[in-house]
Amino acid sequence: MRLNGVHIEDTFAEAFPMLGTRLVITADTPAWVQAAVVSMTGFATSVIACGCEAAMERVLPPDETPDSRPGAAVLLFAMSKAELAKQVARRVGQCVMTCPGTACYAGLRDGPTIPLGNALRYFGDGWQIAKRVGSRRYWRIPVMDGEFLCEAATAAVDGVGGGNVIILAANRRAGLAAAQAAVLAIRDVPGAILPFPGGVVRSGSKIGGKYKGLIASTNTAFCPTLRAAVPASLVPEGVESILELVIDGVSEATVAAAMRAGIGAVADLGAAGGVVSVTAGNYGGKLGRYQFRLHEVMA
Amino acid sequence: MSGIVLTIRDPAGPPIDMSGVLPERLAEGGREALAGLMLVRGRGRHRLDALFTLEDSGPAGTLILHPGGAVLDGVGTGMNTGEIRVEGECGAYAGSAMRGGTLAVAGNCGAFAAAEMSGGRLRVAGDAGDFLGAPLAGGTRGMSGGSVVVMGNAGDRVGERIRRGLIAVHGRVGSLCGARMIAGTIVVGAGCGPDPGQAMRRGSILLAQAPDAVPSGFVDGGMNDWLFLDLMRKELIDGGAWPSGFPTAGTRARRLIGDRSAGGIGEVLVLAEA
């Protein structure tokens, strides 16, 4: 398949089931919302070493938040319910509760329960107050600037992690421009996040490596500087830079929509923009439950 | 199947115990089962259709009572589902031990309304008597769920020993509102008699103005912003339970914490001082 001069390889992205949740964080100002979100989603790029993958889903205007203040929706994904619960408690406890003026609410209602305020309430040292408002239950935890309001629990959803798009470009500047265009397009897809810095990965990995005990190592097949040295190199002639976008979503359809948006944005730049081709990472279809075939996604 | 309108035949006379007259009886056995219910009035037992006329009318599953001037005690007692509308006044025990459904009273209701209620909704357009949402006589547990909205005033010991749920009184309440309260929320739109929250453990009493007197076990926590008030305001405005005397914006309130003499960490929040 060729779109605007960009070759779309006939391959697939291999993705995995993950458990995800959405949190809504509010604060007095957008700046403090960002402070909390940046802190909470920091070091959450890959479950390989971070425990979870997380990023801001979108900014929420005051009329879309429970307390009519500026806010943001954040998505977190982990490999198990226990790990997700642990990461939620740690990150909300250390990064949201600590941030001045914030409150934290559940962004999902249906599904397995993940403790939120229920896990953090003990910080109140006996002075915490449970409060039911309508059908929702909150914890009010006394803190030094007043009170941290936190919904008692959130819900988990069966999500998909590891959807990906790999952009092969003539040079680093062209590759970065294409990746940034794709990031902007994907961020408009509800329910999808790009957990890596700026939404882009430059150090894509393969499973294992030559060193004992290594879980992952550099994806030599996609390293342009090793093209001549690695027999299984997948770097075509004329490609100097390769960037990957890793996508997590709340459903298979969401990840597919995000991939479509990203590839479409890259294709819009076209060969004239220095993009050579688009491919995806997989493990031969043996590991992941989900396969996103690029030609089907773009059909 | 439509609802049933019950109109009292003889308003004069002793109170009638209505505690078995429930929408679920109508749903289970139909009009005939309802008509055959035996009710106690004074010292006598009477068939329901001897005390009331029955007319098919209104939405399905709904009982509409026209009490005239009669005293109807125990309306909606133990109710689980459906709706009862009282086009007049209720006696004592309206909605007591109620578990679900809706009871709407167009007039006033007597003492022990919503006593030991655990679910459902009670709406009173007039005033309510003493012990609203409190334990029944000899009981140890007050309301444990559901919501009560009184558009007028209420008597003493509103929400005594309440454990869960919401009581909203748009008007004034008497003394000892929320006494021995365990949790839950009580909202009072006008004046509050002395000693709200005496011996309370947890829970919130929201007042439009400072009470006549505060129990000695309360400490003044000062003014602050309480974000949950914003959530509560939205929820209660939707349900008609946010008193008109309460501020329509802002989250500031004075917080009194207590009752420390009982080891409690409940709160009396005075909103009008904001």
Side-chain angles (χ1 to χ4, degrees):
Chain A
M1 178 187 281
R2 193 164 282 276
L3 296 175
N4 199 19
V6 176
H7 175 64
I8 311 297
E9 196 170 329
D10 185 13
T11 186
F12 61 92
E14 193 168 351
F16 305 86
M18 295 180 87
L19 216 57
T21 191
R22 178 186 285 122
L23 302 177
V24 173
I25 296 165
T26 66
D28 293 332
T29 65
W32 282 114
V33 173
Q34 285 301 311
V37 168
V38 166
S39 179
M40 184 196 172
T41 58
F43 188 59
T45 54
S46 169
V47 289
I48 293 173
C50 305
C52 74
E53 299 177 5
M56 184 175 77
E57 183 186 16
R58 69 186 182 99
V59 170
L60 298 173
D63 60 358
E64 289 187 36
T65 62
D67 56 25
S68 304
R69 300 191 303 165
V74 173
L75 289 172
L76 291 91
F77 294 88
M79 298 307 288
S80 68
K81 185 182 171 190
E83 184 63 29
L84 184 62
K86 186 171 86 175
Q87 292 292 332
V88 165
R90 285 183 175 178
R91 287 170 184 272
V92 175
Q94 297 300 314
C95 307
V96 181
M97 185 164 67
T98 55
C99 185
T102 57
C104 187
Y105 306 98
L108 294 171
R109 298 273 157 246
D110 302 321
T113 301
I114 302 292
L116 194 56
N118 283 343
L120 301 172
R121 61 183 162 137
Y122 302 104
F123 185 75
D125 200 26
W127 294 94
Q128 69 274 20
I129 298 172
K131 184 55 58 187
R132 181 173 289 278
V133 180
S135 60
R136 299 190 183 187
R137 190 165 185 255
Y138 302 89
W139 281 100
R140 298 165 48 198
I141 301 171
V143 287
M144 288 162 57
D145 77 344
E147 198 170 68
F148 175 54
L149 183 64
C150 188
E151 196 155 350
T154 183
V157 64
D158 288 323
V160 176
N164 64 82
V165 173
I166 297 176
I167 302 163
L168 290 78
N171 54 58
R172 196 147 65 92
R173 181 174 294 181
L176 205 52
Q180 286 177 311
V183 166
L184 287 177
I186 291 171
R187 283 184 175 156
D188 283 339
V189 178
I193 57 164
L194 298 154
F196 281 90
V200 186
V201 190
R202 68 100 173 257
S203 62
S205 61
K206 65 178 183 294
I207 296 173
K210 69 181 281 189
Y211 300 105
K212 190 179 178 183
L214 205 60
I215 300 170
S217 63
T218 190
N219 197 346
T220 46
F222 281 114
C223 289
T225 56
L226 299 180
R227 181 174 56 209
V230 176
S233 177
L234 297 172
V235 183
E237 193 72 36
V239 170
E240 291 182 7
S241 178
I242 299 175
L243 293 172
E244 182 178 358
L245 289 85
V246 174
I247 301 162
D248 298 334
V250 295
S251 68
E252 191 174 358
T254 300
V255 173
M259 288 178 63
R260 187 182 311 119
I263 294 170
V266 172
D268 284 346
L269 293 176
V275 182
V276 176
S277 65
V278 173
T279 185
N282 61 65
Y283 309 94
K286 294 174 182 173
L287 295 180
R289 184 193 296 174
Y290 303 100
Q291 295 181 6
F292 297 93
R293 303 206 71 86
L294 299 189
H295 286 191
E296 291 175 7
V297 163
M298 298 309 293
Chain B
M1 185 181 72
S2 67
I4 296 283
V5 177
L6 302 176
T7 305
I8 191 79
R9 292 181 188 275
D10 178 13
I16 302 172
D17 181 359
M18 300 289 291
S19 56
V21 184
L22 300 173
E24 46 256 53
R25 292 287 171 85
L26 180 63
E28 289 163 6
R31 178 188 171 123
E32 290 309 308
L34 199 68
L37 282 174
M38 297 303 292
L39 305 182
V40 174
R41 185 176 206 186
R43 294 181 179 177
R45 286 168 58 82
H46 311 270
R47 279 175 59 97
L48 182 142
D49 56 1
L51 298 175
F52 294 90
T53 62
L54 281 75
E55 178 192 349
D56 293 331
S57 182
T62 302
L63 290 180
I64 301 170
L65 304 182
H66 289 277
V71 178
L72 306 182
D73 288 339
V75 175
T77 292
M79 181 177 176
N80 284 302
T81 184
E83 182 177 357
I84 299 178
R85 290 188 218 157
V86 183
E87 303 295 348
E89 310 223 338
C90 271
Y93 304 106
S96 62
M98 193 172 161
R99 291 186 287 271
T102 299
L103 170 58
V105 182
N108 303 323
C109 61
F112 291 103
E116 300 189 6
M117 177 184 192
S118 59
R121 305 188 331 150
L122 169 61
R123 298 288 180 268
V124 181
D127 298 334
D130 297 338
F131 303 104
L132 175 68
L136 292 165
T140 57
R141 293 189 168 205
M143 188 173 158
S144 60
S147 69
V148 177
V149 177
V150 177
M151 300 307 292
N153 303 317
D156 295 338
R157 294 183 178 271
V158 168
E160 182 177 11
R161 294 203 188 210
I162 178 176
R163 180 175 289 270
R164 268 189 292 274
L166 168 76
I167 298 175
V169 179
H170 283 241
R172 183 182 167 83
V173 299
S175 63
L176 294 165
C177 170
R180 295 188 286 181
M181 182 174 181
I182 298 164
T185 304
I186 299 173
V187 175
V188 180
C192 178
D195 298 330
Q198 184 160 64
M200 76 186 293
R201 301 299 301 269
R202 286 176 178 268
S204 305
I205 301 174
L206 277 57
L207 303 180
Q209 56 199 64
D212 294 348
V214 181
S216 58
F218 274 75
V219 293
D220 188 349
M223 296 292 294
N224 217 313
D225 289 299
W226 309 98
L227 195 55
F228 86 98
L229 288 177
D230 188 69
L231 307 184
M232 188 153 277
R233 172 170 39 235
K234 290 173 185 166
E235 177 74 20
L236 299 192
I237 284 175
D238 287 347
W242 188 254
S244 56
F246 274 21
T248 54
T251 57
R252 287 189 73 73
R254 176 174 297 280
R255 187 189 193 208
L256 308 169
I257 305 168
D259 187 333
R260 301 302 299 143
S261 63
I265 59 165
E267 62 187 358
V268 173
L269 288 167
V270 184
L271 277 68
E273 291 187 17

